[in-house]
Amino acid sequence: MFGAFAIGIARVSVVRNELQNAADAAALAGASGLTAKDSGAPAWAAASAAATSAITLNASDQTKLSSATVTTGYWNLAGSPSTLQATTITPGANDVPGLQVTVTRSANQNGGPINLPFGALLGLASTNASATAVAVAAAPGTVAGGLFPVALAQCVYDTYWDSSTNQPKIDPSTGVAYEFQIGNGQPYPAGSSCAASQWTSFLIVANDVPTIRGIITNGNPVPLSIGTSIYIQSGIKATIYSSVPNNTVVYVPIVSSVATGTYEPIVAFAAFYIDGVAGGSDKYIQGHFLTGYTIPQSSGVGPDYGAYVPPRLAF
């Protein structure tokens, strides 16, 4: 009987691990669909469909899985509450879009209960089992690499970003996100008191073109987090604009202000699309804000400014 018990426990452990792996994979697949591009609202339906489809890619006890319970909602990263919240709540600072997946082996589900070898000796021929996973999509608190070396001021972000919908503001004359200019250290919109942006060498004091060109190519050399102070360059160099990529997405730090020759704290990270570049006497980068884009080398949690960390397990 002790031998039967030991064999049964080992078998249950193996199957539960298989179920947990399936739940983890399905939750991550679903969370990857939460941040729809160009939409500030979480894509609940798309995430649920992605998780449900991913279930069938895994097996338990050599039997293909066919069903799971998938629930979408907000997950509190601070653990208060410790359960998934409804999609209809007004999310707080620690509430991020999430998805919960529960995979169960029981009667008429995924091959039925787990059969126990020699279980009849103990009066238990089979047992149910389940596994649950929660994955989330959050805005980054830290970016380890890949940042573009232009710091945007909070004031220009407030001008062109709708924080109530987590989307870029729409220009009524074009029907798409507002286009604006960065990188020249000048007020934008023209005539305003908002210095839109300026080049940054991140943690070092450097006002030379080669340093900035290296960062454009390789990204920030060390991880940067919300609260980290970065150096705002004191000069504008026309030649650097020839090294700026065009028609592409870049990720930029948002700072409280862009007072040149000072260190300013990062308040968030954002996704920005470069539509055009002008050097010479103009010296600016033109583009617009984006939402629903993942920064590959990112982690933590921060304000939602349209850029996200790769989906991760929270439970």
Side-chain angles (χ1 to χ4, degrees):
M1 291 179 65
F2 279 114
F5 179 76
I7 293 171
I9 288 294
R11 177 170 171 73
V12 170
S13 177
V14 169
V15 175
R16 281 181 172 165
N17 285 339
E18 291 174 340
L19 294 178
Q20 190 63 63
N21 290 339
D24 291 349
L28 288 170
S32 68
L34 283 169
T35 54
K37 288 181 172 58
D38 303 320
S39 174
W44 304 118
S48 182
T52 300
S53 296
I55 286 295
T56 62
L57 301 177
N58 289 280
S60 171
D61 216 10
Q62 299 183 0
T63 299
K64 186 176 181 180
L65 298 173
S66 60
S67 65
T69 301
V70 179
T71 309
T72 55
Y74 287 96
W75 182 262
N76 188 279
L77 295 174
S80 180
S82 59
T83 56
L84 197 68
Q85 303 168 88
T87 61
T88 54
I89 70 164
T90 300
N94 291 313
D95 296 322
V96 296
L99 180 140
Q100 179 175 293
V101 176
T102 299
V103 186
T104 301
R105 286 277 305 271
S106 63
N108 301 316
Q109 290 192 77
N110 297 313
I114 305 169
N115 292 322
L116 300 177
F118 311 111
L121 297 174
L122 303 173
L124 185 66
S126 64
T127 185
N128 297 337
S130 67
T132 296
V134 175
V136 299
T142 298
V143 178
L147 285 176
F148 188 72
V150 169
L152 271 63
Q154 180 73 57
C155 58
V156 76
Y157 204 87
D158 293 341
T159 301
Y160 296 108
W161 182 261
D162 188 340
S163 59
S164 66
T165 62
N166 289 331
Q167 295 185 81
K169 290 182 179 178
I170 301 301
D171 185 343
S173 66
T174 63
V176 296
Y178 274 103
E179 292 274 323
F180 57 95
Q181 296 173 4
I182 66 172
N184 57 3
Q186 300 301 310
Y188 205 89
S192 73
S193 61
C194 174
S197 65
Q198 186 54 280
W199 294 95
T200 174
S201 48
F202 297 130
L203 298 183
I204 62 172
V205 176
N207 293 298
D208 61 286
V209 169
T211 296
I212 299 303
R213 281 189 173 138
I215 298 175
I216 290 174
T217 300
N218 301 311
N220 48 304
V222 297
L224 298 173
S225 302
I226 291 173
T228 301
S229 292
I230 56 176
Y231 180 69
I232 310 300
Q233 284 199 311
S234 58
I236 303 171
K237 299 170 180 60
T239 58
I240 194 63
Y241 291 89
S242 64
S243 300
V244 174
N246 202 355
N247 296 314
T248 190
V249 179
V250 295
Y251 302 103
V252 294
I254 309 294
V255 296
S256 51
S257 68
V258 289
T260 57
T262 66
Y263 278 89
E264 298 292 339
I266 297 172
V267 298
F269 299 98
F272 181 80
Y273 191 87
I274 299 176
D275 290 299
V277 183
S281 60
D282 294 317
K283 297 184 289 293
Y284 66 80
I285 301 167
Q286 183 163 314
H288 61 276
F289 285 127
L290 299 166
T291 188
Y293 283 78
T294 299
I295 304 180
Q297 301 179 62
S298 60
S299 60
V301 60
D304 189 349
Y305 280 35
Y308 299 92
V309 302
R312 67 181 188 269
L313 293 172
F315 177 81

mmCIF file of all heavy atoms in Angstrom, residues 162-186:
data_model
loop_
_atom_site.group_PDB
_atom_site.id
_atom_site.type_symbol
_atom_site.label_atom_id
_atom_site.label_comp_id
_atom_site.label_asym_id
_atom_site.label_seq_id
_atom_site.Cartn_x
_atom_site.Cartn_y
_atom_site.Cartn_z
ATOM 1 N N ASP A 162 -3.809 61.493 -24.485
ATOM 2 C CA ASP A 162 -5.055 61.493 -23.713
ATOM 3 C C ASP A 162 -4.926 60.455 -22.602
ATOM 4 O O ASP A 162 -5.069 59.260 -22.843
ATOM 5 C CB ASP A 162 -6.239 61.171 -24.635
ATOM 6 C CG ASP A 162 -7.572 61.335 -23.935
ATOM 7 O OD1 ASP A 162 -7.600 61.318 -22.683
ATOM 8 O OD2 ASP A 162 -8.597 61.480 -24.627
ATOM 9 N N SER A 163 -4.656 60.898 -21.392
ATOM 10 C CA SER A 163 -4.443 59.969 -20.280
ATOM 11 C C SER A 163 -5.730 59.270 -19.853
ATOM 12 O O SER A 163 -5.678 58.226 -19.183
ATOM 13 C CB SER A 163 -3.840 60.708 -19.084
ATOM 14 O OG SER A 163 -4.688 61.760 -18.661
ATOM 15 N N SER A 164 -6.893 59.813 -20.222
ATOM 16 C CA SER A 164 -8.157 59.178 -19.836
ATOM 17 C C SER A 164 -8.447 57.936 -20.670
ATOM 18 O O SER A 164 -9.168 57.041 -20.238
ATOM 19 C CB SER A 164 -9.319 60.171 -19.966
ATOM 20 O OG SER A 164 -9.536 60.524 -21.330
ATOM 21 N N THR A 165 -7.891 57.881 -21.876
ATOM 22 C CA THR A 165 -8.107 56.721 -22.753
ATOM 23 C C THR A 165 -6.817 55.956 -23.043
ATOM 24 O O THR A 165 -6.851 54.919 -23.705
ATOM 25 C CB THR A 165 -8.697 57.178 -24.105
ATOM 26 O OG1 THR A 165 -7.766 58.058 -24.771
ATOM 27 C CG2 THR A 165 -10.021 57.906 -23.903
ATOM 28 N N ASN A 166 -5.673 56.474 -22.547
ATOM 29 C CA ASN A 166 -4.365 55.862 -22.819
ATOM 30 C C ASN A 166 -4.117 55.721 -24.320
ATOM 31 O O ASN A 166 -3.648 54.690 -24.800
ATOM 32 C CB ASN A 166 -4.231 54.505 -22.133
ATOM 33 C CG ASN A 166 -4.099 54.632 -20.630
ATOM 34 O OD1 ASN A 166 -3.585 55.629 -20.135
ATOM 35 N ND2 ASN A 166 -4.578 53.644 -19.906
ATOM 36 N N GLN A 167 -4.415 56.805 -25.043
ATOM 37 C CA GLN A 167 -4.189 56.849 -26.483
ATOM 38 C C GLN A 167 -3.674 58.219 -26.886
ATOM 39 O O GLN A 167 -3.896 59.203 -26.166
ATOM 40 C CB GLN A 167 -5.494 56.588 -27.235
ATOM 41 C CG GLN A 167 -6.079 55.206 -27.041
ATOM 42 C CD GLN A 167 -7.304 55.019 -27.919
ATOM 43 O OE1 GLN A 167 -7.210 54.735 -29.105
ATOM 44 N NE2 GLN A 167 -8.472 55.192 -27.323
ATOM 45 N N PRO A 168 -2.999 58.296 -28.035
ATOM 46 C CA PRO A 168 -2.614 59.614 -28.548
ATOM 47 C C PRO A 168 -3.855 60.446 -28.845
ATOM 48 O O PRO A 168 -4.896 59.917 -29.241
ATOM 49 C CB PRO A 168 -1.857 59.280 -29.850
ATOM 50 C CG PRO A 168 -1.492 57.845 -29.731
ATOM 51 C CD PRO A 168 -2.555 57.200 -28.909
ATOM 52 N N LYS A 169 -3.751 61.741 -28.648
ATOM 53 C CA LYS A 169 -4.844 62.621 -29.038
ATOM 54 C C LYS A 169 -4.938 62.678 -30.559
ATOM 55 O O LYS A 169 -3.919 62.598 -31.259
ATOM 56 C CB LYS A 169 -4.636 64.019 -28.465
ATOM 57 C CG LYS A 169 -4.811 64.091 -26.955
ATOM 58 C CD LYS A 169 -4.647 65.512 -26.447
ATOM 59 C CE LYS A 169 -4.850 65.562 -24.930
ATOM 60 N NZ LYS A 169 -4.656 66.935 -24.402
ATOM 61 N N ILE A 170 -6.147 62.806 -31.063
ATOM 62 C CA ILE A 170 -6.388 62.796 -32.500
ATOM 63 C C ILE A 170 -6.513 64.219 -33.025
ATOM 64 O O ILE A 170 -7.250 65.040 -32.471
ATOM 65 C CB ILE A 170 -7.667 61.993 -32.831
ATOM 66 C CG1 ILE A 170 -7.531 60.550 -32.320
ATOM 67 C CG2 ILE A 170 -7.931 62.006 -34.333
ATOM 68 C CD1 ILE A 170 -6.364 59.790 -32.896
ATOM 69 N N ASP A 171 -5.789 64.483 -34.102
ATOM 70 C CA ASP A 171 -5.869 65.770 -34.781
ATOM 71 C C ASP A 171 -7.142 65.786 -35.622
ATOM 72 O O ASP A 171 -7.281 64.997 -36.559
ATOM 73 C CB ASP A 171 -4.639 65.949 -35.671
ATOM 74 C CG ASP A 171 -4.585 67.318 -36.334
ATOM 75 O OD1 ASP A 171 -5.621 68.006 -36.378
ATOM 76 O OD2 ASP A 171 -3.504 67.677 -36.824
ATOM 77 N N PRO A 172 -8.117 66.653 -35.317
ATOM 78 C CA PRO A 172 -9.376 66.643 -36.065
ATOM 79 C C PRO A 172 -9.216 66.977 -37.542
ATOM 80 O O PRO A 172 -10.056 66.595 -38.357
ATOM 81 C CB PRO A 172 -10.227 67.695 -35.343
ATOM 82 C CG PRO A 172 -9.251 68.562 -34.618
ATOM 83 C CD PRO A 172 -8.116 67.677 -34.259
ATOM 84 N N SER A 173 -8.134 67.643 -37.896
ATOM 85 C CA SER A 173 -7.936 68.008 -39.307
ATOM 86 C C SER A 173 -7.454 66.830 -40.149
ATOM 87 O O SER A 173 -7.597 66.828 -41.369
ATOM 88 C CB SER A 173 -6.933 69.156 -39.419
ATOM 89 O OG SER A 173 -5.645 68.750 -39.000
ATOM 90 N N THR A 174 -6.876 65.802 -39.494
ATOM 91 C CA THR A 174 -6.358 64.646 -40.230
ATOM 92 C C THR A 174 -7.038 63.335 -39.841
ATOM 93 O O THR A 174 -6.989 62.371 -40.597
ATOM 94 C CB THR A 174 -4.847 64.486 -39.990
ATOM 95 O OG1 THR A 174 -4.618 64.230 -38.594
ATOM 96 C CG2 THR A 174 -4.092 65.745 -40.409
ATOM 97 N N GLY A 175 -7.645 63.301 -38.654
ATOM 98 C CA GLY A 175 -8.288 62.073 -38.191
ATOM 99 C C GLY A 175 -7.326 61.050 -37.625
ATOM 100 O O GLY A 175 -7.730 59.931 -37.319
ATOM 101 N N VAL A 176 -6.064 61.412 -37.487
ATOM 102 C CA VAL A 176 -5.054 60.512 -36.918
ATOM 103 C C VAL A 176 -4.305 61.251 -35.812
ATOM 104 O O VAL A 176 -4.552 62.427 -35.545
ATOM 105 C CB VAL A 176 -4.066 60.012 -37.992
ATOM 106 C CG1 VAL A 176 -4.784 59.160 -39.029
ATOM 107 C CG2 VAL A 176 -3.367 61.191 -38.671
ATOM 108 N N ALA A 177 -3.382 60.538 -35.149
ATOM 109 C CA ALA A 177 -2.651 61.128 -34.032
ATOM 110 C C ALA A 177 -1.908 62.390 -34.453
ATOM 111 O O ALA A 177 -1.395 62.495 -35.581
ATOM 112 C CB ALA A 177 -1.662 60.112 -33.473
ATOM 113 N N TYR A 178 -1.858 63.357 -33.552
ATOM 114 C CA TYR A 178 -1.152 64.614 -33.823
ATOM 115 C C TYR A 178 0.307 64.361 -34.180
ATOM 116 O O TYR A 178 0.996 63.551 -33.553
ATOM 117 C CB TYR A 178 -1.182 65.506 -32.586
ATOM 118 C CG TYR A 178 -2.409 66.370 -32.451
ATOM 119 C CD1 TYR A 178 -3.417 66.017 -31.560
ATOM 120 C CD2 TYR A 178 -2.565 67.541 -33.192
ATOM 121 C CE1 TYR A 178 -4.546 66.811 -31.407
ATOM 122 C CE2 TYR A 178 -3.688 68.344 -33.042
ATOM 123 C CZ TYR A 178 -4.677 67.972 -32.152
ATOM 124 O OH TYR A 178 -5.796 68.754 -32.002
ATOM 125 N N GLU A 179 0.774 65.073 -35.191
ATOM 126 C CA GLU A 179 2.189 65.100 -35.537
ATOM 127 C C GLU A 179 2.836 66.273 -34.801
ATOM 128 O O GLU A 179 2.258 67.358 -34.702
ATOM 129 C CB GLU A 179 2.363 65.305 -37.043
ATOM 130 C CG GLU A 179 1.903 64.144 -37.897
ATOM 131 C CD GLU A 179 2.994 63.099 -38.062
ATOM 132 O OE1 GLU A 179 4.172 63.473 -38.176
ATOM 133 O OE2 GLU A 179 2.647 61.912 -38.067
ATOM 134 N N PHE A 180 4.043 66.048 -34.278
ATOM 135 C CA PHE A 180 4.752 67.150 -33.625
ATOM 136 C C PHE A 180 6.248 66.911 -33.761
ATOM 137 O O PHE A 180 6.686 65.864 -34.236
ATOM 138 C CB PHE A 180 4.332 67.300 -32.159
ATOM 139 C CG PHE A 180 4.526 66.068 -31.331
ATOM 140 C CD1 PHE A 180 5.671 65.900 -30.571
ATOM 141 C CD2 PHE A 180 3.564 65.072 -31.310
ATOM 142 C CE1 PHE A 180 5.855 64.757 -29.807
ATOM 143 C CE2 PHE A 180 3.733 63.932 -30.539
ATOM 144 C CZ PHE A 180 4.882 63.775 -29.791
ATOM 145 N N GLN A 181 7.030 67.908 -33.346
ATOM 146 C CA GLN A 181 8.474 67.876 -33.549
ATOM 147 C C GLN A 181 9.204 67.742 -32.224
ATOM 148 O O GLN A 181 8.841 68.370 -31.226
ATOM 149 C CB GLN A 181 8.934 69.149 -34.272
ATOM 150 C CG GLN A 181 8.370 69.268 -35.679
ATOM 151 C CD GLN A 181 8.684 70.591 -36.340
ATOM 152 O OE1 GLN A 181 9.394 71.430 -35.775
ATOM 153 N NE2 GLN A 181 8.155 70.801 -37.538
ATOM 154 N N ILE A 182 10.254 66.901 -32.228
ATOM 155 C CA ILE A 182 11.080 66.708 -31.042
ATOM 156 C C ILE A 182 12.550 66.828 -31.438
ATOM 157 O O ILE A 182 12.885 66.848 -32.619
ATOM 158 C CB ILE A 182 10.833 65.331 -30.376
ATOM 159 C CG1 ILE A 182 11.301 64.194 -31.317
ATOM 160 C CG2 ILE A 182 9.374 65.158 -30.004
ATOM 161 C CD1 ILE A 182 11.282 62.822 -30.657
ATOM 162 N N GLY A 183 13.409 66.895 -30.435
ATOM 163 C CA GLY A 183 14.850 66.835 -30.671
ATOM 164 C C GLY A 183 15.528 68.163 -30.904
ATOM 165 O O GLY A 183 16.734 68.228 -31.023
ATOM 166 N N ASN A 184 14.755 69.249 -30.956
ATOM 167 C CA ASN A 184 15.389 70.531 -31.264
ATOM 168 C C ASN A 184 15.482 71.459 -30.066
ATOM 169 O O ASN A 184 15.992 72.572 -30.177
ATOM 170 C CB ASN A 184 14.634 71.243 -32.398
ATOM 171 C CG ASN A 184 13.160 71.460 -32.065
ATOM 172 O OD1 ASN A 184 12.723 71.132 -30.960
ATOM 173 N ND2 ASN A 184 12.417 72.012 -32.996
ATOM 174 N N GLY A 185 14.958 71.050 -28.926
ATOM 175 C CA GLY A 185 15.065 71.864 -27.733
ATOM 176 C C GLY A 185 14.220 73.111 -27.750
ATOM 177 O O GLY A 185 14.324 73.945 -26.854
ATOM 178 N N GLN A 186 13.360 73.240 -28.761
ATOM 179 C CA GLN A 186 12.554 74.443 -28.902
ATOM 180 C C GLN A 186 11.140 74.215 -28.375
ATOM 181 O O GLN A 186 10.683 73.082 -28.255
ATOM 182 C CB GLN A 186 12.489 74.851 -30.376
ATOM 183 C CG GLN A 186 13.839 75.162 -31.003
ATOM 184 C CD GLN A 186 14.543 76.293 -30.280
ATOM 185 O OE1 GLN A 186 13.971 77.345 -30.035
ATOM 186 N NE2 GLN A 186 15.810 76.066 -29.925
#
